[in-house]
Amino acid sequence: MLSNLRVVYALLLIAKINQSTVSASVTEESIVLERSNKSLLKELTFELSGSSLLWPCESTKNIYIQSGHYVPRNVIITRAQLQRDLVYVALPRYKHGVPFTLGKIHLTQGQCLTKISPYPCWSIQEEGNCQALQSVVDIMLDHHGFLWILDVGIVNTLEQPIRRCKPKIVAINTLNGKVVKNIDINNLLTPASRLQFLVVDYGLDNKPFIYIADAGARSILVYDIALSKSYGVVLPKATSPNADVFYMALTFHGNKNSTLYFTYLSSPHLYSIHTEHLRGGKGGDGAIVDVGAKPYGKHMVLLGADGGNSLFFRYKGENDIYMWNTETCFKISNLQEIQRNGDCRLTTQILPGHKHFMWALESNFHDFMSERTGCNGASIVLHPVLRECDD
């Protein structure tokens, strides 16, 4: 064995497909890429930018720029879903000048700057048209190939917020790019509602449900797709000392029902609820479990799950990524550091996908929020989750 040889471990995703859902987990054994293969790592790192959009023609681009409907530095990608070598991305209209709010990317190995095209077409991106998408804040791709979209209906949220349309959930069949569902969820909302994330879940009977994080109303909204039935599960006040960012991630444990883990950014604890309770509209009577106190009392950013029983997270303002096997106790000794990063970008999501890797979506979102990105806009990167160590 060579001493002090730096090797890179890429986390491998093993998919376990059954009738009801896609279940996967990250194995402790990892693929080892030798130093000679670092060129491959470079080829699997994709740089994304608001200045690299795919336009029908140059004249259309110029019209958008001159009218103020396209400002490259105001475009940022915050969420993604992988389907083979395709990536579907959410580009929320946090600021003016975002020409489309849902996009698609082809991952071409070795390509430096990847082009982003509107998905499924330009016409569905029209701001102010309530039949179109206004501001997509989260997306999720299910194992049937349906892309579920959370559109909050409010644009320019970091400038002067404008409510263009009511919030809605839209489902697109990725086989043909057709909209197959357009769900009105306004009967679930209150004046305090702030919708942030969504999760799509298939039970043991293969019936689909949607769970939505309503941070402002301290609720998990539940939508039964098969029965077109909806209700809200109000959380105990102890789960949300401050109604800030409300994170959710879904885990699967063999043939058992799934478990939804959730936490507010400022909450000192992580919580969970079995989805069978959510589907029954139960949020009390012991349905919600206090999983435990967050390590070191730090604010935790929940980044995602592997499709199995592992969760990924980082601490606020830090970019080292940790993994926790939810079948073990939630304590420091069971938290595995899987990637160390610099300070330029922060990870906003971990997701399974292309080439069986877990992938990290990173950006300097903190600079974007505080207008420190300059003319080039946000720095966004998508790459496999990597861990370096000495061997």
Side-chain angles (χ1 to χ4, degrees), residues 342-354:
D343 298 328
C344 178
R345 289 182 294 265
L346 296 174
T347 304
T348 58
Q349 187 182 10
I350 299 290
L351 63 157
H354 187 50

Side-chain angles (χ1 to χ4, degrees), residues 3 11 23 51 70 76 80 94 107 125 127 148 151 154 162 188 190 199 218 240 249 263 351 382:
S3 61
L11 298 178
S23 176
S51 61
Y70 178 39
I76 191 169
Y94 289 137
L107 297 181
Q125 313 287 339
E127 188 175 332
W148 298 89
D151 178 8
I154 302 174
I162 303 171
L188 297 174
T190 71
V199 170
R218 204 177 70 249
S240 55
T263 184
L351 63 157
L382 181 69

